[in-house]
Amino acid sequence: MVTQTETLERRVWDVLETIEDPELPVAITDLGLIREVAVDGGRIHVTMVPTFSACPAIGVMREDIRKRLGAIPGVETVEVELSFAEPWTMARMTERGRERLFRHGVSVPARRGGGETGPTGVECPFCGSTNTRLENPFGPTLCRAIYYCLDCKNPIERFRPPGE
Amino acid sequence: MTLAAVPALRPPEVREALIAYLLGVADDELIVGHRHSEWTGFAPDIESDVALSSIAQEEIGHARLLYERVAELAGGDPDALAYGRGPDAFRNAVLVERPNGDWGFSITRMCLYDHADAVRLDALAGGDLTPLADLARTLRREERYHMIYGEQWLRRLARATDDSRSKVQAALDVAWPEAEALFAAVAGQDMLKEPGVLAVDPATQVQRWRDVMLPVLTDVGLRVPAGPKQAPVPDGRHGQHTEHLAALLEEMTSVWRSEPGARW
């Protein structure tokens, strides 16, 4: 038998899957930013794990989560807690999230390892070449570095996980 | 669990000492972040422009997280802590308030500061206060990119030309004693021992920092200033500052002061 709490929890996850990072066209669940959802009656407690602790998008996402979950019938309060107990790693990103970022034009490290130079190198999202070069470890956001594709001559944004 | 709920922090004198300590770290991060941001649009090349802007954003973000912890203990609002205090209430080391000067000074300061910050965060990360240790571990791993960047530039400048080497050496002569003062004790520092806030005391931290920095500096032929210092370094941890902090705050807080309490 499905209890009311289970139904509400399912509904909460469904809504979370439709909230995107304001800086990337990917759901926050596919980025692995949500660690836990606790439902107690009409009270919802969401535990969030940021990629970079100083990411300015965190505030926007917390507010989005509060508003969107608050609009679910039966929800009374929504708390969104930032947790640093477990660090965010590439393993938290789903394969779907990786694919979406890549299609959007952001090169993404493998979900395991997550270092900047894996055995396969940094893949160009435009032509697929791995003949690429690091231009700048810093980019337009904290989670992006800049590479250059030596084959198709395009600059590339590379998802940069926090240092291990 | 919030810091305010930690039983070991109930005695007011312990709480006050921790507030002073965290405020010192947070103020360092905010002020150094603001100095880095002054390079936006003016750095020697576009990669450095992006790098300094990104590092500035991250240091200021770290400051915000630390001000939130201070606010948990002391009450109040993190924004008011950052923008609503006068220079006497700031607890940053004077190293970070110094104007950027030339690129050589900025890079030298960044390199000394980030390595010191890493040692300090390691000490917090190994401490017994879980909410602080978790946060410190997170900040520490994010500092890694800053450290690599600053050290690469320092090595490059020290080896490039006579001119660049002499500028970096002059910067080091000024910045080294001020960087040591990053480890100066705050009011009530001894109170932090009992709850195990720091896994490593500041006297040992400064030694660890020297052990990391000296091989880097000697490797590129830079020397650390020896002997008696020309002038004592003002004790920023007790609110002593140079005139540069007041000027920095005047500019940094002007928008906030124009409409206190405004929401953006």
Side-chain angles (χ1 to χ4, degrees):
Chain A
M1 200 185 105
V2 179
T3 66
Q4 266 189 339
T5 296
E6 279 169 303
T7 311
L8 187 55
E9 193 177 326
R10 192 58 253 161
R11 183 88 190 91
V12 165
W13 278 106
D14 287 346
V15 171
L16 288 173
E17 279 168 19
T18 66
I19 300 175
E20 288 188 348
D21 182 321
E23 290 179 339
L24 298 165
V26 182
I28 55 176
T29 44
D30 281 329
L31 285 171
L33 302 184
I34 306 299
R35 196 174 83 188
E36 202 183 347
V37 170
V39 175
D40 177 12
R43 290 193 297 270
I44 313 289
H45 187 96
V46 178
T47 308
M48 221 181 143
V49 188
T51 51
F52 281 81
S53 68
C55 173
I58 293 169
V60 178
M61 290 187 277
R62 284 177 97 171
E63 204 45 46
D64 281 353
I65 294 170
R66 271 191 215 109
K67 272 193 201 142
R68 296 282 307 281
L69 296 186
I72 299 174
V75 170
E76 288 154 22
T77 61
V78 182
E79 254 184 79
V80 187
E81 181 199 355
L82 277 192
S83 170
F84 300 105
E86 252 176 60
W88 188 94
T89 65
M90 272 307 294
R92 295 196 60 86
M93 195 188 285
T94 65
E95 204 46 46
R96 184 172 59 177
R98 258 193 100 237
E99 279 161 21
R100 282 198 181 150
L101 277 179
F102 194 74
R103 277 208 305 278
H104 174 66
V106 179
S107 178
V108 192
R111 289 177 57 231
R112 272 194 289 177
E116 278 301 301
T117 46
T120 54
V122 169
E123 191 182 357
C124 173
F126 305 112
C127 74
S129 166
T130 52
N131 186 19
T132 55
R133 181 183 73 201
L134 176 68
E135 286 280 295
N136 195 344
F138 299 93
T141 66
L142 295 173
C143 61
R144 279 180 274 185
I146 303 297
Y147 279 72
Y148 182 71
C149 178
L150 295 160
D151 282 337
C152 76
K153 318 285 187 208
N154 273 304
I156 306 165
E157 289 190 2
R158 168 79 165 175
F159 187 85
R160 183 189 80 159
E164 299 302 319
Chain B
M1 179 160 69
T2 66
L3 276 182
V6 175
L9 301 179
R10 260 182 220 139
E13 61 277 16
V14 177
R15 193 172 279 238
E16 285 307 312
L18 185 56
I19 289 168
Y21 188 81
L22 293 178
L23 214 43
V25 183
D27 289 346
D28 282 350
E29 294 280 89
L30 178 67
I31 303 300
V32 85
H34 185 78
R35 285 299 186 209
H36 291 336
S37 80
E38 291 175 341
W39 279 109
T40 302
F42 299 96
D45 54 27
I46 194 157
E47 285 76 19
S48 305
D49 215 290
V50 172
L52 270 282
S53 306
S54 182
I55 293 171
Q57 182 186 46
E58 192 149 45
E59 301 294 27
I60 292 167
H62 287 176
R64 191 192 53 181
L65 289 160
L66 292 159
Y67 286 132
E68 284 172 6
R69 302 293 97 77
V70 172
E72 280 174 18
L73 290 167
D77 165 44
D79 276 339
L81 284 169
Y83 297 115
R85 287 176 299 150
D88 295 348
F90 270 75
R91 292 292 176 265
N92 60 283
V94 295
L95 173 72
V96 295
E97 71 200 37
R98 244 176 211 286
N100 283 333
D102 59 23
W103 184 243
F105 180 80
S106 282
I107 287 297
T108 305
R109 168 172 57 192
M110 174 189 278
C111 192
L112 297 180
Y113 175 76
D114 284 336
H115 281 81
D117 191 34
V119 169
R120 166 170 78 182
L121 289 172
D122 278 339
L124 266 176
D128 294 335
L129 300 183
T130 310
L132 268 186
D134 287 346
L135 177 63
R137 209 176 314 112
T138 302
L139 306 188
R140 172 66 177 85
R141 83 175 175 149
E142 292 168 351
E143 287 295 329
R144 188 170 153 262
Y145 289 117
H146 308 181
M147 289 160 73
I148 294 170
Y149 179 83
E151 191 178 319
Q152 275 174 348
W153 259 107
L154 185 75
R155 286 176 178 275
R156 193 170 158 192
L157 292 172
R159 284 173 166 152
T161 64
D162 287 345
D163 190 34
S164 70
R165 163 186 294 277
S166 65
K167 282 184 179 171
V168 170
Q169 182 61 57
L172 190 59
D173 291 342
V174 171
W176 181 266
E178 292 187 354
E180 286 185 318
L182 284 163
F183 298 98
V186 299
Q189 180 86 42
D190 287 346
M191 291 292 145
L192 302 179
K193 278 190 186 151
E194 186 60 30
V197 175
L198 304 171
V200 181
D201 66 73
T204 312
Q205 284 181 38
V206 73
Q207 196 50 53
R208 286 196 180 174
W209 170 75
R210 285 195 201 105
D211 290 346
V212 173
M213 284 318 305
L214 289 174
V216 174
L217 300 173
T218 49
D219 187 41
V220 292
L222 295 169
R223 52 187 162 65
V224 164
K229 296 158 194 164
Q230 291 99 340
V233 176
D235 185 1
R237 298 283 184 246
H238 285 82
Q240 293 175 16
H241 295 285
T242 64
E243 73 276 20
H244 305 302
L245 181 65
L248 180 152
L249 292 178
E250 176 72 17
E251 184 192 281
M252 186 181 79
T253 65
S254 58
V255 174
W256 189 83
R257 282 184 287 110
S258 71
E259 192 66 52
R263 285 182 58 83
W264 305 90

